Amino acid sequence: MIDLEIGVLGGLSVRRAGQPVKLPASRKARAMLAFLLLTGKPQHRERLCDLFWEGPDDPRGALRSAIWKLRRLLNDPEAERIVADREWIRFEPVAVECDYANLKERAQRDEELVGQEFADVRGALDQPLLTGLDLPDHPEYQAWLVAMREEAEALRARLLPDLGARTGLPIDKPGQLHLARQKIGFAGAKDGTRIAWARIGTGPPLLKVANWLNHLELDWDSEVWSPLFQELARDHCLVRYDERGNGMSDWEVVDLGFDAFVTDLESVVEQSRVERFPLLGISQGAAVAIEYAARNPDRVSHLILWGGYAAGWRVDGDAESMAEREALITLVANGWGRDDSSYRNLFSRALIPGATEAERTAFDEFQRKTISPANAARFLETFADIDVRHRLSEIKCPTLVMHARGDQRVPVAKGAELASQIGGAEFVTLPTDNHLLLGREHSSELFVAHVRQFLSDEADSIKTA
């Protein structure tokens, strides 16, 4: 008879006789439980200390405390699951069912899944493995976690080769989302600049900060942005806008500084009449989101950051990278608007190195239509001087920081720095080299799944409290 159900797809969860078990608050204790469960092997105490508690404090004492808490929660008189002696610790799956282990067994039996059963399996595997249990300061454990997530992705590909054929359910393709059309309007910034903004979808609000580059109409049909936006709009009333100087907002503006970007966001919030909302910041839009959240803690319920950084390259870059980027600004100012896309292609290759030639060509053309050469250069000047490091400690809302592992534009270390300096922030890396997610890639699906899980977990915690 199954007494414990342990879920690792999504966040770690334990249910006893159908009722949730409150796990230790310590992320390291929960991570250790997941490690023992999924490795399925006895682990030496010294090894666990090295993985989770290496440092100047008392790692053996921290390990003993974690073991005591887990044994108290999971062991029964008739079922000792956390087994520990002087040297070794192991997890015994006595009357235990694990969602991930069940799916691995199905894959080994090569079962054919059909109909609703297939859709249920897809729903489980769409959730990233062990959400919220990243430990970026513990590289050996983090490397194991990355390998497990890659194994889960391989399992997904094996069990779910053709969703549409097996379920018989209608599957929306890009451009076929059954939602009301997006509604575009204009907000007036403090200096009179017109800021184009749009809303689409129903449900609770989600507000996305502008980034490089946006165009409300072209975005919606873009191979890069469209699938991602459509997925987010399934669950939310998605509010987006074009930054001043590009897209459908005013191009001829005096001020293209960072503070103007923040006040543009404030104008859109007021125009949309959204009171409290999750805020999504991508790339340099993450810094704008951080600044807004610090100024308006009563308005931002959650902060979600992708590919972000707290300081531009003029603030903390090395001499070599600074020289390269200064030269790039000159190239952009002189060659951005040419029919020859070689200048714009420098950005495409850095932003979406995993794109096909056709996708890069389409993105090059999108960039050309979205901003003038002069404004593109001015944007880069502003991004270079961004510095919101002093704001990170002021962020009090739940925060999810995500980053591409192979990001060539903003190294993953920048994302780790963000997460480490925002109190309680979760840090998640995704298996892609793309700074801007391509809608067709699996990491885009993982991104949406993480967002859904993050917002759902926080909503559940509020209800429980």
Side-chain angles (χ1 to χ4, degrees), residues 186-196 242-245 249-255 260 264 267:
F186 292 89
K190 292 179 180 178
D191 63 359
T193 302
R194 292 187 310 164
I195 305 299
D242 292 340
E243 216 153 37
R244 62 176 53 215
S249 295
D250 284 347
W251 285 25
E252 300 298 325
V253 292
V254 174
D255 188 359
D264 288 348
S267 300

Side-chain angles (χ1 to χ4, degrees), residues 107-153:
Q108 291 169 357
R109 293 195 300 267
D110 199 25
E111 288 187 14
E112 182 175 357
L113 307 172
V114 296
Q116 187 60 45
E117 183 182 32
F118 185 80
D120 291 343
V121 170
R122 180 184 190 267
L125 286 172
D126 272 351
Q127 301 180 75
L129 190 79
L130 297 175
T131 304
L133 287 187
D134 289 79
L135 298 174
D137 293 333
H138 298 266
E140 193 174 353
Y141 162 79
Q142 195 66 27
W144 169 81
L145 182 57
V146 168
M148 287 302 304
R149 286 172 175 164
E150 290 173 351
E151 179 186 281
E153 290 176 36

